[in-house]
Amino acid sequence: MNLKQADTGKEYRIVQLPHLPILKGTGLKEGERISLVTVSPFQGPYIICKKGRHYAISREICELIRLEEE
Amino acid sequence: MGCCEDNGTCVHEYLSESIETNPTFLLFGNPNVGKSVIFSKLTGRAVQTANYVGTTVSYTKGEMNLYGDRATLIDVPGIYSLNAVSEAERVAIEFLENTNPSGIIFVLDATNLSQSLELFQEVREKQIPIIPVLNLTDVAQRKGIHIDVQKLSTYLEERVISTVAIQNIGLKRLIGEIRLSIRQPNEVSYKPLCINEIMQDVQTETEGNVTFLDRLGLWSMQSKTGIPIAFLVLALSFAIVIGGGKAVRSVLLLPLVNDVYAPWITKVVSYFLEDGLWHNILVGEYGVFIKGIEWPFALILPYVFFFYIVLSFLEDSGYMPRLGALVDGILRRMGIQGSNVVPFMMGYGCAVPAIIGTRTSTSRKERIIVATVVSVAIPCASQTGAFIALLGDRSIFLLIVMFILSLLFAFSAGILMDRFLIGEQPPTFMEIPHLLIPERKTVVKKIIGRTKSFMIEAELPMLAGILIAAIVVETGFLQGISTFMEPVIVNWLGLPKEATLALLLGFIRRELAVLPLLELPLSITQLFIGSVVALLYLPCLSVFGVLVKEFGVKTGVVISTSTIVLALMIGGVFNHGIRLVQTLF
């Protein structure tokens, strides 16, 4: 499954991340645990939480982030 | 281009010309970890700080006085990795790779240590002595994150200084460490780090306290609660700026200027000069001694001051990136990311820092769209003050319509530019900081600093504008220009020909395209048309200057010229449209 298919509140583990310059060094890594906090309105980004920090990620990137349920 | 310090020195110039006699330290780290706060505390230099990613878009240099020892500290924009994606990030990397610093003060984020260590690892490979600083330890503690600083020091092969920079905690130890590295410089040979192992060994997490602020931070991002909160924040901001400004203006400043100062200065000038040209230039209809005080201080300053209170609070609270995430879907229709809410909000203060702030954008197309929208449709604080002074007393409804129109113009300009400009739309990736109650001292310092700069930077050009106004009015020159401009001003825009003065002065400062309208007996329709034209009209000289500096002469001239054409075109269309409606109904 990808991040766009995730349910809010559930915990997931990142299985695969796209190789995008914008993601380099942001701390998101394969194997890391994240949860989907909310989906922004107006076709906006997905807000995820990783160790208490929040990130807004646009839908096209979310499609490329593969997850597995914890 | 585009990588200059506040004073205009460019990175490449710094690299080729700067010969530092003092030891030089670079201040490095991820965005929004408190680097600029540490810089400010160590050098005493006031720099822009805020609770969002990308506050620092260029470098700032300052001198550290370390109890007798001296050293230079360079604050560079925060980065996530040594692979730059924006112009601001390139500045940081250029400094690391092309200067030869004595050391690096590396700020680690205690709330996100693993992310900080990723960059730390990359920087370590340069084999430059590093002083690691673990900042935001108070926030980490609140979140239930505990870091064993001793163990971390062992792994990093350097003594880690734990700080809460905003409260001055740990800074004395940091100064001691910098002094030590100056007095006993070491050759370093750092080994590679195993970040996973470090994290497992040094960090423990317990259930953190979920505070009201944490909950509010979440609510402000969720659709159901986020949109009402955004409207509430907007309404509150509007109420504070208009209500507070109006109260101070009408109760204190206007009576002081009109009933005390104006009669006194008129009396003094009349004592020395008889009625005539010079008398009128000094204390007449557009008298420099009267309007030069009334316009900037009694009409504009109260609103600007309250706006700065709101802006400083929003900046330091961490709310702006949340708003950015909430409206990202809307802004993407304009070809830009939600994080551009920050330059837009700053544009309501002044377009100059807003345009410079676009350096964090990852594409040139995005930068040009944001800069154009800010120049065309977002009124600066002074112009907002002028609008409130012009419309507030006659019709609050019209004032609200003006602000809604400014948003509509901004949105339309963005959509059009996205269609016509070549370039890809960068995907959104935004880090959203913790929601915090801003520190009182920092906010007060910001408000005072900004108000001071407004008084210095706005007063001189405004005085020059008022002097020009007084001369063209009193010499009859305005009569000549007005007759020449009659087809545009009177026939097309439906304004009295004296309104030409507003368009003339609007070249100097944006609010001067509004203030002369205060002196004219205008109908509600004319007030509205005049305001629309002033809103869209040419950005002031400083904005033109920064557009040229950031994007080149051609782009600067194109943006500025199109604003004039757009202002006159839309003003005329509104005028004839309203007349048509009035005739029909």
Side-chain angles (χ1 to χ4, degrees), chain A residues 21-26 28-29 37-42 44-45 47 50 52-58 60-61, chain B residues 80 83 85 109 111-112 115 118 196 218 221-223 325-326 328-330 332-333 427-432 434:
Chain A
I22 203 164
L23 291 180
K24 278 201 171 173
T26 52
L28 284 185
K29 280 184 294 184
V37 177
T38 186
V39 180
S40 298
F42 319 112
I47 313 288
K50 189 204 87 175
R53 302 281 288 208
H54 293 98
Y55 301 89
I57 305 176
S58 63
E60 61 261 46
I61 302 182
Chain B
Y80 288 113
N83 299 295
V85 287
D109 179 356
T111 66
N112 202 352
Q115 181 177 308
E118 299 271 346
N196 283 344
L218 273 180
M221 290 186 290
Q222 288 165 340
S223 342
L326 203 66
D328 182 83
I330 298 175
R332 289 189 77 74
R333 287 169 176 79
T428 299
F429 184 90
M430 263 164 71
E431 191 177 335
I432 298 170
H434 305 286

